[in-house]
């Protein structure tokens, strides 16, 4: 196979079991790859006394890519055609040298080869640091803001879906002594000016349904609840049940705002049954001016989280 233009030893020679001499002189071979090197070493270890490899006149390379080949050249038991295995080779910078001198100064020629690998590893680690550490640091430093943002948007999304289930915007709880005030003053502003739907016991409860069921159904279908406190309401036998149903809906995260209006009553008259939801109450000491309306409008239209 000498005097050809081969750039590599054909793999087909590995199928020749009785081969003991390979002449590949004066070709363009720059190195012998790992597969062929293993095969040549195996030939020696298979009981064959000698294997001759003739590689003179090739364009061998003495670079980082062929360092393993140069090392193998002086360690293998294969017999070569050049004394001391001294073959001409080309260094990385293009200058001419020989394999013997390169092997004797192996560290000088190839000591920096691993530096490139370490440089690649360093760059990879730096990129990994940038890709993972910086986002982690940002998330860690702003974790509460991120958590709050997720919570707010999740809450809005849930409430948006829940709004489709609400039949009423407000469940209005009152006693008979406040029905006239509610109809003449409260409802016109809420229903006509603010375009909110209000559930009134005297107007919207289904005919024929048990009152307890009607109250439970109306409260569950209402987004907010407004209590108009009065002495009669405090002693109304259904007031406690209404408060319990509103408390249940609030604890279930369906009821959103609970407003207590003390009209001509003291705030201290708030029923003791409301103590469990006291922190969720918006209490308005009603006065006949726009201040009370502003407080009510802020209570119903302002988001709470």
């Amino acid at each position: 196979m000498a005097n050809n233009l081969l750039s590599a030893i054909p793999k087909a020679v590995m199928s020749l079991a009785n081969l003991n001499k390979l002449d590949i002189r004066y070709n363009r071979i720059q190195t012998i790859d790992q597969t062929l090197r293993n095969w040549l070493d195996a030939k020696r270890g298979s009981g064959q006394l000698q294997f001759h490899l003739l590689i003179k006149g090739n364009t061998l390379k003495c670079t980082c890519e062929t360092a393993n080949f140069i090392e193998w050249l002086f360690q293998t038991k294969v017999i070569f055609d050049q004394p001391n295995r001294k073959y001409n080779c080309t260094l990385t910078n293009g200058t001419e040298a020989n394999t013997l001198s390169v092997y004797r100064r192996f560290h000088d020629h190839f000591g920096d080869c691993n530096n490139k690998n370490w440089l690649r590893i360093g760059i990879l680690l730096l990129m990994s640091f940038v890709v993972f550490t910086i986002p982690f640091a940002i998330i860690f430093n702003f974790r509460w803001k991120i958590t709050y943002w997720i919570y707010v948007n999740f809450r809005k999304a849930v409430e948006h879906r829940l709004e489709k289930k609400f039949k009423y915007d407000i469940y209005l709880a009152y006693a008979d002594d406040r029905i006239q005030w509610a109809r003449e003053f409260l409802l016109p502003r809420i229903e006509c000016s603010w375009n909110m739907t209000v559930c009134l016991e005297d107007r919207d409860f289904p005919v024929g349904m048990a009152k307890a069921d009607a109250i439970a159904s109306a409260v569950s279908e209402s987004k907010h609840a407004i209590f108009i406190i009065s002495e009669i309401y405090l002693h109304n036998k259904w007031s406690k049940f209404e408060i319990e149903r509103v408390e249940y809906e609030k604890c279930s995260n369906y009821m959103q705002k609970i407003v207590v209006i003390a009209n001509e009553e003291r705030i201290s008259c708030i029923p003791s049954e409301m103590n469990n939801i006291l922190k969720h109450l918006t209490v308005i000491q009603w006065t006949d001016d726009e201040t009370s309306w502003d407080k009510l409008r802020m209570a119903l239209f302002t988001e709470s989280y």
Side-chain angles (χ1 to χ4, degrees):
M1 300 175 66
N3 298 293
N4 288 291
L5 299 176
L6 299 176
S7 60
I9 301 174
K11 294 292 194 298
V13 301
M14 297 173 62
S15 62
L16 303 175
N18 297 319
L19 183 66
N20 58 25
K21 185 177 181 180
L22 181 60
D23 186 356
I24 55 170
R25 292 176 296 173
Y26 301 104
N27 283 287
R28 295 181 177 178
I29 296 173
Q30 298 180 352
T31 185
I32 299 175
D33 63 35
Q34 184 67 49
T35 302
L36 280 164
R37 297 201 300 265
N38 292 339
W39 175 75
L40 291 169
D41 288 335
K43 293 288 287 184
R44 176 74 180 179
S46 63
Q48 186 171 305
L49 296 178
Q50 293 180 338
F51 190 93
H52 295 267
L53 182 62
L54 285 62
I55 60 173
K56 182 180 179 180
N58 282 284
T59 57
L60 299 178
K61 293 284 188 180
C62 292
T63 62
C64 290
E65 290 75 16
T66 63
N68 292 333
F69 163 67
I70 301 299
E71 190 174 22
W72 171 84
L73 181 65
F74 291 91
Q75 294 176 356
T76 182
K77 300 299 182 180
V78 175
I79 299 174
F80 291 90
D81 56 334
Q82 193 76 351
N84 298 324
R85 309 186 182 192
K86 185 178 179 180
Y87 297 98
N88 292 331
C89 67
T90 305
L91 300 177
T92 303
N93 59 11
T95 59
E96 294 294 327
N98 64 78
T99 55
L100 181 60
S101 64
V102 169
Y103 181 72
R104 287 175 176 173
R105 301 177 59 193
F106 191 87
H107 180 74
D108 294 336
H109 286 283
F110 304 116
D112 295 335
C113 292
N114 289 332
N115 291 343
K116 295 180 179 178
N117 294 329
W118 285 112
L119 180 61
R120 294 189 185 99
I121 294 173
I123 293 174
L124 181 61
L125 292 175
L126 180 61
M127 292 178 62
S128 301
F129 175 83
V130 172
V131 171
F132 295 103
T133 306
I134 293 180
F136 175 79
I138 293 174
I139 293 173
F140 181 80
N141 289 330
F142 297 97
R143 61 190 183 278
W144 297 118
K145 291 184 178 180
I146 294 173
T147 303
Y148 178 75
W149 182 84
I150 293 173
Y151 171 76
V152 169
N153 284 274
F154 176 78
R155 179 72 176 269
K156 286 182 178 179
V158 171
E159 290 182 354
H160 180 70
R161 290 195 296 269
L162 291 175
E163 284 177 358
K164 298 179 181 179
K165 298 182 179 180
F166 292 137
K167 182 178 180 181
Y168 305 103
D169 291 309
I170 298 170
Y171 176 82
L172 188 60
Y174 55 89
D176 292 340
D177 61 333
R178 291 292 180 265
I179 183 61
Q180 183 178 358
W181 181 84
R183 287 182 177 274
E184 293 182 0
F185 295 97
L186 195 63
L187 291 182
R189 180 72 68 98
I190 294 177
E191 291 187 324
C192 299
S193 299
W194 297 349
N195 295 319
M196 303 181 76
T197 56
V198 181
C199 178
L200 294 178
E201 174 185 344
D202 304 304
R203 182 186 66 186
D204 300 306
F205 279 13
V207 178
M209 179 183 290
K211 189 169 183 178
D213 294 337
I215 292 174
S217 177
V219 171
S220 66
E221 293 176 336
S222 300
K223 184 176 181 180
H224 310 298
I226 296 178
F227 290 90
I228 303 177
I229 301 301
S230 66
E231 285 292 336
I232 295 179
Y233 183 78
L234 295 178
H235 298 93
N236 189 315
K237 62 179 181 179
W238 290 107
S239 61
K240 185 176 180 179
F241 182 73
E242 283 181 319
I243 295 171
E244 288 177 351
R245 294 308 305 176
V246 169
E247 179 182 352
Y248 171 79
E249 294 297 330
K250 185 62 180 179
C251 293
S252 301
N253 293 322
Y254 290 109
M255 181 68 65
Q256 296 187 22
K257 299 294 186 63
I258 305 174
V259 180
V260 176
I261 296 177
N263 183 21
E264 298 180 4
E265 299 289 342
R266 296 186 307 276
I267 294 179
S268 58
C269 293
I270 295 176
S272 59
E273 290 80 8
M274 289 185 173
N275 290 340
N276 293 331
I277 55 173
L278 198 60
K279 63 180 181 180
H280 301 294
L281 299 181
T282 300
V283 182
I284 301 175
Q285 181 67 65
W286 197 267
T287 56
D288 293 328
D289 54 29
E290 285 299 318
T291 302
S292 298
W293 290 111
D294 290 340
K295 292 179 180 179
L296 180 59
R297 182 171 58 251
M298 290 291 293
L300 296 177
F301 289 97
T302 303
E303 299 284 350
S304 64
Y305 301 107

